[in-house]
Amino acid sequence: MGIILEKTAFSVNIKERKDFSCAVFDKNGNLCANAPHIPVHLGSMEDCVKFLIKSQNSTINPGDVYLTNNPVTGGTHLPDLTVITPVFRSMLDNGQQDHHPLFFLASRGHHSDIGGISPGSMPSSSTTLE
């Protein structure tokens, strides 16, 4: 996943800085496998997937792709966008569409032109305690 994301990205942060992560999660949102990318991304990405399952469970359908950057639900900071894709078995034996994901794919990448109070998204004053 990581190699494909890196090779197809337009973002310099992803293509050259390699500020991204990819992982596979089971149907309950538990981490199954990840590439050795950015640890802070991977540590909280599971929370994003679990929040998606909890909040959207009955409305998740084949073909859906979710995008989030919410730090409260497992994001890291605003410029880190997380893309979550549920993966379904295409059809059940009886011909009915399966509406329960088998697993989830997720990737998170830093996009410097999104969020924050100043260019670059991480001003030094953001961690200053007053």
Side-chain angles (χ1 to χ4, degrees):
M1 285 173 66
I3 291 168
I4 298 301
L5 180 57
E6 179 184 341
K7 289 182 181 281
T8 59
F10 289 100
S11 168
V12 172
N13 283 328
I14 293 172
K15 190 176 237 16
E16 295 179 17
R17 289 185 56 236
K18 297 177 182 24
D19 191 352
F20 69 91
S21 297
C22 300
V24 178
F25 300 86
D26 70 14
K27 65 182 179 180
N28 299 312
N30 298 308
L31 179 66
C32 294
N34 61 268
H37 293 135
I38 309 293
V40 71
H41 290 173
L42 296 166
S44 60
M45 209 181 312
E46 182 175 293
D47 292 333
C48 278
V49 176
K50 287 183 176 183
F51 181 81
L52 170 70
I53 294 167
K54 181 179 177 182
S55 65
Q56 303 294 319
N57 190 34
S58 62
T59 62
I60 297 174
N61 292 300
D64 289 349
V65 177
Y66 297 87
L67 176 67
T68 183
N69 68 341
N70 188 341
V72 175
T73 61
T76 45
H77 63 140
L78 293 177
D80 282 345
L81 299 180
T82 304
V83 177
I84 304 169
T85 306
V87 178
F88 295 80
R89 185 177 334 155
S90 60
M91 295 295 285
L92 295 174
D93 293 335
N94 61 8
Q96 297 295 316
Q97 187 68 38
D98 184 6
H99 288 284
H100 300 285
L102 295 175
F103 59 94
F104 294 84
L105 303 174
S107 59
R108 178 175 286 170
H110 183 93
H111 298 271
S112 61
D113 57 349
I114 294 176
I117 60 173
S118 66
S121 74
M122 297 190 303
S124 60
S125 62
S126 65
T127 58
T128 303
L129 298 175
E130 296 184 28

